Each structure stands twice: as structure tokens, then as C-alpha cells.
């Protein structure tokens, strides 16, 4: 896994590429998943080297505060005084030595020293060598102190900010919080959503098996398929032909709760990049109209590209601040309105691990104000008897069930869909039957019509969905 490959201008190893990504995430606040994807595409590593670079980037960011906690014992001048690239080099090297048993210690140390020689001077390479060899000698004694308060212990053991852990303990309890933090450090599996207009799930699973891809039906999402050892599914010809889309299973449930029917008029208020929009169009047999709105002009093209790839004609895109949609369309205009609201994103930490280090409590407060405003503005576009679905990819209750409870108190013309036989009731029952951990724990605290999926339940993203009916 130490192959050196030819980049456009210079040779880079998997570890050098990982270091470059880590420095840019740390320095510029770049999204790790997007930056890593772009970097891997540029350098065209072998599959083993690409896997190593991916593991080093995500693993180092995921375990950041635990790594820094231990490294501080070996860096006399303190990590903050080091140049960013040196600090990141020590972090990714410590991650290999402490967390990856399959990586030979000498390989991790030798390449770290070689990188330090190329990027710095002999003094830096000597320091890097000394620190890492000290880590190897003392590795067995590097443990988290036992007598810590629960929030501090979980924060160090599972590498999450202590303020966030304390917040989740208050909302979910110690046990569920620890399982949630542990789950956030597990690499996400890959799931795809079959396009029902071009295939069915059984048929697509069989076709993928013929290609040597391990595929199984999702236990959670009716249109979902979980794939393993499949590589980049976006490069599969069936993706380009619109047979499937790549989407997390939790995210697929949103369209299931919207439950749009053929011929309906649907509004997707914050639609980019268009996965849920396309799923709704597929469920409608591409008959009717979906208005897909996003505030960013450059994201309009992403939605349109999704629709074109999937062969969908019922989607019309507009660029608009969703808070101004009520001034663009008459009241009572839509049978279904989906508000997949901007949120803190704390349910997708396993995919974007830097989120837990960059978010602050005040960010949650600020985005909650936006969510509340969005709900108040788009509510009037729902027809009487129509449905408003509110969803987020967070586990933060102030953005989720507490937000909906406050909305319902102020808007008596809306109620939760409490029909046990309806879409929300069917999903609720499925969650309670199939959850592998914390079975029913999140649902137990929520009234019918609201669903909270925690990351540890299905190995999916954390997601919240509420289905409201305008009476």
C-alpha cells in the first residue's frame, strides 16, 4: 500500500495525498469528502492506495482530539506551535501507529520521516522521527483515564467535542450518546436507490451480482440496496444510464413519507443536489409536476443533471430563497411540500467528520432561527388536506421534534399524521421491528408522525422526518 504514483507534476504516495487533504481541511475549512474525492480523481491511485489515503484522512479527522490528547505528551513545544503540515503529519502517523494494526510501524515512521525531509529540514525530520518512536515505545501505556465524568470520558474515548457530548447526554442519555459517538467513527456503507422507472430491486440486485458486486436489499428503505466491495458506484455504467442513484438509506425515507402520487403538484423547497427530488418524481411515475427550488444558482445545474441522467421530465427547477416562495406562488398551491431544511448536519458526522470540530453551540441556535422562518413561510403553500414534510440530517432535538412541537403550537391548522397505517405509521413500525440497536429508543420519545433515526440503529445517517397534514 505504499506505491508511489505519478501525479500531474510530481510523484505522490497515498500518505502524501492524505497529508495534503488533511492540511487543507485544517487550514481552509474544506469539506473532507469533497476534497478527498477531487484529489483521488486527480491522482488516479491504485485501489489499495486510494483505500489507504481514504482511511488516513477520515480516521485522522474522526479521532482528532484523542490523537492530540496523546501527542501532547510527546511534543514538548506543544502542537499549536508546529507548522500545520508538521502537526497533520504527526496526527496521521499517530493514527496509523495507534489505530491501524495492519500497518507496519516501520512503514508509517519511515514515510513520515521521508515526507518531513522533503517538506522541511533535518531538524523537523529528526523531531518527527523521535516523537513517533517514542509513541511506539509507550503505546501500551496510552489509555484514557478511567475516573472522568461521563461527557469527558466519551469525548476522549470516541473523539467528539465535550460540549456536544454533554448536550447529547442531556437529550438522549449516557448509553445512547456513547453508542451514537462510537457509530460516528465507523466508515459508512454504500447504498444506492433503484430507479423504479427503469428497474426493480430484485432485478437490479441480480444484475449487480453478475458484475461481481455484493448487493442486498436495504432493511430500511424500500428502494434501497446496500452494496459492498463495489468501488466507486458513480463509475458503474448503470449509474450513468440512470438505473440507480447513490443515496443514504435514511435520506431515501424522506420521499417515502412525502408519499407523492402521480399527477400531484409538489414543492421541494431546498432541493439541491436533487436526490430527494428525483426520488419523489420516480414515485410519481414522472407524472405531475415537481418544483425544485434552491437558493444557490450553481446548484440548479446539479438538480437538472440528476433529472436528465434519470430520464425525469416532471421536475422544474427555480433559483429562489425558500423564505420568499410564498411571494412567488399563490397560497394553497401544492399537494405536497417538502422542506428538507438546512441544519447543523450532526447526523452525517461519519461522512463529514470535520463537522463535529467546526460546529459550535451557537451554530445550532442560528440555524434553528432559519428553520423556524422557513416553516412559517412555506406552510401557506400547502393545500388544505395536503402534506408538509419537514426533514433534517441531524440528531439535535432543538432542530427536530422540538422545532415541530413549537410549530404545531403556533399553527393549529396543521397536525401530525398519526395514522398508524399511513406512511409515517408504517415507517415507525418498521423502525421498531428492524432496528439492530436502541430499538424504538428514538421513537419512544416522539409522538406518531415524527421519526428520529440515530446513526447506531442501522449504520445509516442520523435523520429526522415529520409528516404534517394541513386540516
Amino acid at each position: 500500500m505504499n506505491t508511489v504514483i505519478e501525479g500531474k507534476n510530481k510523484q505522490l504516495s497515498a500518505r502524501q495525498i492524505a497529508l495534503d487533504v488533511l492540511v487543507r481541511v485544517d487550514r481552509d475549512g474544506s469539506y473532507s469528502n469533497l476534497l478527498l474525492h477531487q484529489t483521488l480523481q486527480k491522482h488516479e491511485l491504485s485501489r489499495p492506495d486510494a483505500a489507504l489515503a481514504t482511511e488516513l484522512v477520515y480516521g485522522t479527522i474522526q479521532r482528532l482530539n484523542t490523537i492530540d490528547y496523546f501527542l501532547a505528551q510527546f511534543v514538548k513545544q506543544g502542537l499549536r506551535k508546529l507548522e500545520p503540515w508538521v502537526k497533520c503529519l504527526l496526527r496521521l502517523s499517530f493514527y496509523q501507529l495507534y489505530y491501524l494494526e495492519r500497518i507496519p510501524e516501520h512503514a508509517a515512521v519511515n514515510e513520515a520521516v521521508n515526507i518531513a525531509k522533503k517538506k522541511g529540514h533535518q531538524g523537523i525530520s529528526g523531531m518527527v522521527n523521535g516523537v513517533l518512536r517514542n509513541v511506539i515505545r509507550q503505546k501500551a501505556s496510552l489509555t484514557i483515564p478511567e475516573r472522568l465524568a461521563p461527557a469527558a470520558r466519551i469525548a476522549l474515548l470516541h473523539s467528539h467535542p465535550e460540549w456536544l457530548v454533554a448536550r447529547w447526554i442531556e437529550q438522549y442519555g449516557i448509553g445512547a450518546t456513547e453508542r451514537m459517538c462510537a457509530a460516528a467513527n465507523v466508515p459508512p456503507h454504500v447504498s444506492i436507490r433503484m430507479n423504479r422507472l427503469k428497474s426493480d430491486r430484485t432485478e437490479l440486485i441480480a444484475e449487480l451480482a453478475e458484475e461481481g458486486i455484493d448487493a442486498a436489499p436495504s432493511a430500511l428503505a424500500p428502494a434501497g440496496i446496500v452494496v459492498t466491495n463495489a468501488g466507486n458506484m458513480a463509475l458503474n455504467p448503470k449509474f450513468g444510464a440512470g438505473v440507480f442513484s447513490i443515496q443514504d438509506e435514511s435520506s431515501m425515507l424522506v420521499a417515502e413519507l412525502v408519499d407523492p402520487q402521480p399527477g400531484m403538484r409538489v414543492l421541494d423547497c431546498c432541493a439541491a443536489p436533487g436526490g430527494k427530488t428525483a426520488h419523489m418524481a420516480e414515485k410519481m411515475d414522472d407524472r405531475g409536476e415537481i418544483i425544485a427550488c434552491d437558493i444557490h444558482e450553481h446548484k440548479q445545474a446539479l438538480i437538472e443533471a440528476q433529472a436528465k441522467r434519470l430520464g425525469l421530465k416532471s421536475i422544474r427547477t427555480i433559483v429562489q430563497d425558500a423564505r420568499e416562495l410564498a411571494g412567488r406562488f399563490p397560497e394553497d398551491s401544492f399537494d405536497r411540500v417538502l422542506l428538507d431544511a438546512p441544519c447543523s448536519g450532526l447526523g452525517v458526522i461519519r461522512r463529514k467528520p470535520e463537522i463535529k470540530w467546526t460546529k459550535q453551540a451557537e451554530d445550532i441556535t442560528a440555524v434553528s432561527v432559519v428553520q423556524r422562518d422557513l416553516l412559517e413561510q412555506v406552510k401557506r403553500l400547502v393545500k388544505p388536506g395536503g402534506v408538509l414534510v419537514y426533514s433534517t440530517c441531524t440528531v439535535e432535538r432543538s432542530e427536530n421534534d422540538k422545532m415541530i412541537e413549537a410549530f404545531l403550537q403556533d399553527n393549529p391548522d396543521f397536525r401530525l399524521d398519526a395514522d398508524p397505517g399511513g406512511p409515517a405509521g408504517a415507517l415507525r413500525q418498521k423502525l421498531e421491528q428492524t432496528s439492530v440497536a436502541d430499538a424504538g429508543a428514538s421513537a419512544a420519545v416522539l409522538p406518531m408522525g415524527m421519526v428520529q433515526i440515530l446513526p447506531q440503529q442501522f449504520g445509516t445517517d442520523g435523520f429526522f422526518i415529520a409528516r404534517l397534514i394541513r386540516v
Side-chain angles (χ1 to χ4, degrees), residues 148-156 162 165 169 174 178:
L148 291 175
R153 179 186 61 80
I154 294 170
L156 270 181
E162 188 172 337
V165 174
I169 288 175
I174 294 172
E178 181 154 14

Side-chain angles (χ1 to χ4, degrees), residues 321-343:
D321 186 330
R323 290 171 289 191
E324 299 171 358
L325 286 170
R328 180 162 183 161
F329 298 103
E331 291 189 20
D332 310 338
S333 294
F334 295 93
D335 301 287
R336 300 283 191 270
V337 172
L338 168 61
L339 175 56
D340 185 47
C343 69

Side-chain angles (χ1 to χ4, degrees), residues 45 107 111 153 159 205 259 343 376 456:
L45 273 73
E111 184 154 4
R153 179 186 61 80
S159 285
I205 288 173
D259 194 32
C343 69
E376 286 298 323
Q456 66 268 35

